[in-house]
Amino acid sequence: NTCLNFWDERFYFFHSTNTLKIEKGCIPTMPAIHSVEKNSRLIITKWEGDAVDTELINAISNYQKDMQINPEYVGYNEIVDFSEVKSIKLTPEGIMHVGKIASRTDADKGKTKLALVVTSSLAFGLARMYIAYRNFDKKSNKEMRIFKKTNDALEWVSDDT
């Protein structure tokens, strides 16, 4: 398990309604591998490791800075594959925050598709929650669906009808 080791009194981990100060320790990282298929106008992101609020929020923030603001990728559909995630330690507040971050780059883009691939009932419920939170934002213009199989997600995002 890969970890970020740190000692920073300013670091806080948000969990449910409590704010826990972490003084020393290790936060599991949640690596994301992005691949861009220009011919298909598709970005595929595969997540691995432990799904933890702070890691997911940081990873989504970085993704927005690195990928979504790139004008070359405007109008690309996305598949976000969580099938290799080992454990899920996400909170409703963390999911809501991720939804807000993600919808920031939706403005002024055409409608695109986002397929979420999950394998567990818990992940499916959290994905539904994410879609609900993301749809609360008036700027959100993603058509979103949840899939259990990557092939089904790929077929859906590739369908232009």
Side-chain angles (χ1 to χ4, degrees):
N1 198 8
T2 309
C3 292
L4 294 175
N5 290 307
F6 64 92
W7 170 245
D8 186 340
E9 294 178 13
R10 296 165 297 166
F11 185 83
Y12 289 87
F13 175 68
F14 297 93
H15 178 72
S16 291
T17 56
N18 303 324
T19 301
L20 305 172
K21 184 175 180 182
I22 299 175
E23 295 180 349
K24 261 189 181 174
C26 172
I27 298 176
T29 60
M30 185 180 185
I33 300 163
H34 307 290
S35 62
V36 178
E37 297 182 14
K38 291 184 179 184
N39 291 340
S40 305
R41 300 185 52 79
L42 178 64
I43 300 170
I44 300 174
T45 302
K46 188 145 184 88
W47 295 91
E48 300 173 344
D50 299 321
V52 179
D53 281 343
T54 53
E55 286 298 311
L56 186 58
I57 290 166
N58 288 335
I60 292 293
S61 295
N62 289 335
Y63 175 76
Q64 295 299 316
K65 290 178 206 166
D66 297 338
M67 302 287 285
Q68 286 294 314
I69 63 166
N70 185 334
E72 188 176 350
Y73 304 137
V74 170
Y76 277 39
N77 290 323
E78 298 172 81
I79 296 176
V80 181
D81 186 347
F82 290 98
S83 63
E84 297 296 320
V85 169
K86 302 282 186 252
S87 68
I88 299 172
K89 298 169 187 145
L90 301 170
T91 63
E93 291 83 359
I95 297 289
M96 182 172 55
H97 193 71
V98 167
K100 286 180 183 178
I101 292 168
S103 64
R104 287 181 194 154
T105 60
D106 284 351
D108 302 326
K109 292 182 183 178
K111 190 150 184 116
T112 57
K113 294 179 179 179
L114 170 63
L116 303 171
V117 180
V118 299
T119 54
S120 72
S121 297
L122 174 59
F124 187 87
L126 292 170
R128 286 186 55 153
M129 185 183 302
Y130 168 78
I131 289 172
Y133 283 135
R134 183 145 181 195
N135 283 332
F136 284 144
D137 192 317
K138 292 176 181 155
K139 294 178 185 176
S140 181
N141 62 359
K142 293 271 188 194
E143 183 180 352
M144 296 175 274
R145 290 195 187 165
I146 305 165
F147 297 88
K148 297 233 175 193
K149 296 179 182 174
T150 305
N151 287 342
D152 294 340
L154 186 57
E155 184 178 317
W156 177 71
V157 297
S158 300
D159 183 14
D160 291 333
T161 58

